[in-house]
Amino acid sequence: MRRRLVTTYVLLLCLVLLALEIPLAVSLTGRETERVLSDRIADTTRLASLAVPAVRSGEFASLLDELGRYHELYGIGATFVDLDRRPWIGFGGDPLTADHAAAAVRGALAGRVVGTPGTLWPWESRPLVVAVPVDDGGAVLGAIVTVSPTGDNRGAILLAWAQLGLLGAVAVAVCVLAALRLAGWVLHPVTRLDAVTHEIAAGHGGARVHPGVGPPELRRLSASFNEMADAVAESLERQRSFVAHASHQLRNPLTVLRLRVESLGTALTDDDAREDHRFALEETDRFAEMLDGLLALARAERGGHRTETVDAVEAVRRRGRAWLPLTAHRDVTLRVTVPDGPRYVQQVATALDQSLDALIDNALKFTPAGGTVEVGVATRDGGVEVTVRDTGPGMTEEQCRHATERFWRAPDAQNVDGAGLGLPIVAALVDASGGRLTLAPAPTGGLEARIHWQPGTAPAPREPAAATT
């Protein structure tokens, strides 16, 4: 934008300079031509006055001497032409061979003083031809013709033009410097607004614009932007505080619930009941971790991204085992495909577990009995990709673009249980972890959800506890 603004300033200045310097250059050329022409007419007129007695008496010796001295002194050819347009005496060659000389002689023999060309343009090379009638009491006896080289005069005109061009170039350079300073002063608030906008979008919510720089209009714009940013930041902070407080307050009843479930275990004797009891305890522990994850996410949205390293392979296996009873109940095959060895990823607390739960739950809602839900882990594009694919009705590409909007439901899924928050929560968790969520129609039908996680560093092995005696 700064370059375009400076270009506009310079273009306007160039137009103004052209509008001023072109007429000035023409004026300088005309003035130089008029000066030279007046000087040559005066010289030629003097020679014509000396030619009158010579023509009347027929003695041309004195006139010839004068024409010779004039040619020797100034290098200008001078010739007497009679009424038949024949050059009689002179120096500097036949004047009638010069451009426009014949027309000038005709004009002089008609009693007029003629000088041609009328303007000495630098790109022309024609000599200056001046013809003055030899007049004796109103009777024209002939004409004196001078042919002057104009190289020096055209050089002087060209030098004047070069000086004008140099002056214009200096003016343009000064204008460019001034325009750069002016554009920088005008656009500094705009540039800072752009930078602060990107900083806020990157998570630096405290970035603000200094309102005391630039024109008054942009100062007011900067102050209004800061007020808007403060209002948005305050609103987001209230939302995050609510999430943090709600998560904190839910821990107490969840702890009580876990104690009550744990106390029931002493009265159970059946092996299946004890297994269900163990699974219930694991789920309450997972809920507690989920609350911790909400707290961590609230802190991450404030700009303090605290991530941890987890094994995606182990997480997928663990969540696959947790969802097996429900998939078996719904007659849906849950297929887990993972590579050998761990695949570590970076995440905010419980982001991978919550994302898997939301995606598997979403897949089970739309996969009919006899269908399949596939969960896999693979290394791709310098990171780890977790994929959840189902054989349900799927979504179009347009619907996939809207699926991560809060409370959005597909037109054919209005009667399916859910609030339309599962995929938006997954998108928020993945984004907070530095990953990327991609939704697309599966090649074999259904929906394919891919989460690309940033690779993590394998945790250092724990030191064995020292033996005590």
Side-chain angles (χ1 to χ4, degrees):
M1 185 175 181
R2 183 180 182 181
R3 183 173 62 252
R4 291 193 294 269
L5 190 59
V6 172
T7 302
T8 302
Y9 291 158
V10 173
L11 179 60
L12 291 177
L13 176 65
C14 290
L15 293 177
V16 172
L17 287 175
L18 290 176
L20 294 176
E21 290 197 353
I22 289 178
L24 182 58
V26 173
S27 176
L28 289 174
T29 304
R31 187 172 62 183
E32 177 65 15
T33 302
E34 183 179 356
R35 184 190 68 79
V36 175
L37 187 60
S38 299
D39 184 66
R40 297 297 180 271
I41 289 176
D43 291 345
T44 308
T45 301
R46 185 182 66 83
L47 295 175
S49 65
L50 296 176
V52 173
V55 174
R56 187 186 304 136
S57 64
E59 296 292 335
F60 291 97
S62 60
L63 177 60
L64 184 61
D65 292 341
E66 186 65 27
L67 294 178
R69 286 194 298 271
Y70 184 77
H71 175 69
E72 182 180 358
L73 181 62
Y74 297 107
I76 299 174
T79 305
F80 171 72
V81 179
D82 63 9
L83 293 176
D84 294 329
R85 303 176 190 172
R86 294 177 301 178
W88 271 38
I89 57 173
F91 292 87
D94 187 356
L96 297 180
T97 59
D99 293 341
H100 304 290
V105 170
R106 286 196 302 269
L109 294 178
R112 293 180 287 109
V113 177
V114 180
T116 185
T119 304
L120 300 177
W121 298 114
W123 54 82
E124 295 180 350
S125 60
R126 292 183 299 169
L128 178 62
V129 178
V130 176
V132 176
V134 178
D135 189 357
D136 182 19
V140 177
L141 305 178
I144 295 294
V145 181
T146 60
V147 180
S148 308
T150 57
D152 294 340
N153 305 107
R154 298 180 195 277
I157 293 173
L158 190 61
L159 178 62
W161 283 18
Q163 291 174 346
L164 282 177
L166 180 61
L167 181 62
V170 172
V172 170
V174 173
C175 175
V176 169
L177 294 177
L180 286 172
R181 296 292 299 274
L182 179 62
W185 177 71
V186 171
L187 296 179
H188 179 74
V190 179
T191 304
R192 185 56 187 158
L193 273 173
D194 180 68
V196 170
T197 302
H198 284 82
E199 290 178 14
I200 293 177
H204 303 286
R208 294 295 183 271
V209 182
H210 191 280
V213 180
E217 296 81 1
L218 293 180
R219 294 182 185 181
R220 290 194 296 269
L221 177 62
S222 299
S224 300
F225 178 85
N226 289 340
E227 293 175 1
M228 179 194 67
D230 291 339
V232 173
E234 183 180 357
S235 176
L236 290 176
E237 183 61 28
R238 285 198 298 265
Q239 293 180 9
R240 293 164 184 162
S241 297
F242 171 77
V243 172
H245 293 161
S247 301
H248 184 270
Q249 293 300 321
L250 286 174
R251 290 183 61 87
N252 292 331
L254 184 61
T255 302
V256 174
L257 177 62
R258 190 187 191 286
L259 291 174
R260 289 183 177 274
V261 173
E262 188 176 4
S263 64
L264 292 175
T266 58
L268 299 176
T269 58
D270 184 74
D271 292 339
D272 292 338
R274 287 183 176 181
E275 180 64 22
D276 291 339
H277 177 261
R278 185 188 62 80
F279 181 75
L281 290 176
E282 290 179 356
E283 286 300 304
T284 55
D285 291 339
R286 191 176 68 85
F287 292 155
E289 292 179 358
M290 187 180 299
L291 293 179
D292 292 337
L294 289 175
L295 288 171
L297 181 58
R299 286 193 297 267
E301 290 179 345
R302 290 190 177 96
H305 295 277
R306 298 181 59 184
T307 59
E308 60 184 23
T309 300
V310 297
D311 182 7
V313 172
E314 177 58 29
V316 168
R317 286 174 176 165
R318 184 175 61 250
R319 299 319 308 156
R321 287 194 302 266
W323 283 94
L324 277 177
L326 184 58
T327 57
H329 177 71
R330 296 188 178 181
D331 193 21
V332 174
T333 302
L334 179 61
R335 185 179 302 143
V336 177
T337 305
V338 295
D340 295 332
R343 296 293 186 272
Y344 294 105
V345 298
Q346 291 286 337
Q347 61 153 20
V348 297
T350 72
L352 180 54
D353 282 358
Q354 293 187 61
S355 300
L356 285 170
D357 285 344
L359 293 177
I360 294 174
D361 178 62
N362 187 76
L364 290 177
K365 288 179 182 177
F366 297 97
T367 301
T372 303
V373 174
E374 299 179 5
V375 183
V377 179
T379 302
R380 185 173 286 109
D381 297 333
V384 177
E385 188 172 82
V386 177
T387 305
V388 178
R389 185 185 301 110
D390 61 60
T391 56
M395 291 190 294
T396 64
E397 293 184 358
E398 179 67 21
Q399 291 174 342
C400 289
R401 285 192 288 269
H402 294 284
T404 55
E405 299 175 2
R406 294 182 180 182
F407 303 108
W408 182 87
R409 304 292 296 277
D412 55 351
Q414 299 298 321
N415 297 325
V416 180
D417 293 339
L421 289 174
L423 292 177
I425 291 175
V426 173
L429 290 170
V430 172
D431 184 67
S433 302
R436 181 178 67 253
L437 171 65
T438 304
L439 301 176
T444 58
L447 180 66
E448 181 178 80
R450 295 180 177 270
I451 305 178
H452 185 274
W453 301 92
Q454 296 296 326
T457 304
R462 295 182 179 180
E463 293 291 338
T468 59
T469 58

